[in-house]
Amino acid sequence: MQLAILGLGRMGFNMLSRLIQGGHELVAFNRSPAPLERAAAEGADPAPTLREVAAKLSSPRICWTMLPAGDVTEQFITALTEFLEPGDIIIDGGNSYYKDTVRRGDRLVQQGFKFVDVGTSGGIWGLTEGYSLMIGGETDTVEYLRPIFETLAPAPDKGWGHVGPHGAGHFTKMVHNGIEYGMMQAFAEGFALMGSKTDFHLDLRQIAEIWRHGSVVRSWLLDLTARALAENSSLEGIAPYVPDSGEGRWTVLESVEQGVPLPVIALSLAMRFRSQDDSPFADKLLAVMREQFGGHAVKREE
């Protein structure tokens, strides 16, 4: 099947490579030339402009965007439609906010295009392990694209599925990432607690390896944790700073709107915020409150 991958970040490029390996015919687009040169070396047909992307694709054109959420995706898809025709298919495989996806999908359908949102998980390992694909859109369009999804997934019958209408794919991926936040936080806290029990001299790398086999907490995330500890057991040189991609925030906001309690996910998001604060004002205020009511000593910054 012929399609274009638009946006050759690391995941977009790996998806392109997996599709080429699966026998698909790929057109590649990226604003900067270096990724296009790499894509051409992989076997893709590079297109430096959206006009050329459209010219290289047969009808119905299939354009899979892999771009950051927000205005970047919004503006890009708007620009892309100028070179497409009714019946062409646009796939958003990035981490767009599902409400934007619903609105965008409705608009594109009204313009005569077909639209599919694909929540994509797999990170840097997707090229070899396959991608988990959560797909939103109309059933006939998703079925038409089946050969692409079967190639990208870990197996033709595993790791992908049509989960609902426009927006459902990105909504499901949003919740997936919220759960990921909570799982990561739980592992981090547990290993921190074991590491602080210095009289036992616990080998965290060894424990991670033990848990990988037979334990009820065994998982791909634990596999990666064990790998990281094997490379750097003390995490020397790693700053205690954890960014948040935005999907954790959206998940918590959704829980407020629906009135569904998500205490673990909400707290894991708060802990990421905490890691991003070099000088937390709240902790300073706690210190001076104790000084005010009890005369407790305050540790001064050097």
Side-chain angles (χ1 to χ4, degrees), residues 213-274:
H213 306 283
S215 165
V216 295
V217 298
R218 65 186 183 274
S219 62
W220 178 236
L221 186 56
L222 179 60
D223 292 344
L224 297 178
T225 302
R227 185 173 183 265
L229 290 171
E231 294 174 353
N232 184 357
S233 60
S234 66
L235 303 184
E236 182 179 357
I238 305 297
Y241 181 95
V242 188
D244 63 288
S245 63
E247 292 202 272
R249 299 187 188 207
W250 298 338
T251 305
V252 173
L253 287 172
E254 185 71 20
S255 77
V256 173
E257 289 185 9
Q258 294 196 33
V260 176
L262 303 182
V264 171
I265 295 175
L267 184 56
S268 67
L269 176 64
M271 292 302 293
R272 293 200 179 196
F273 294 159
R274 173 65 179 268

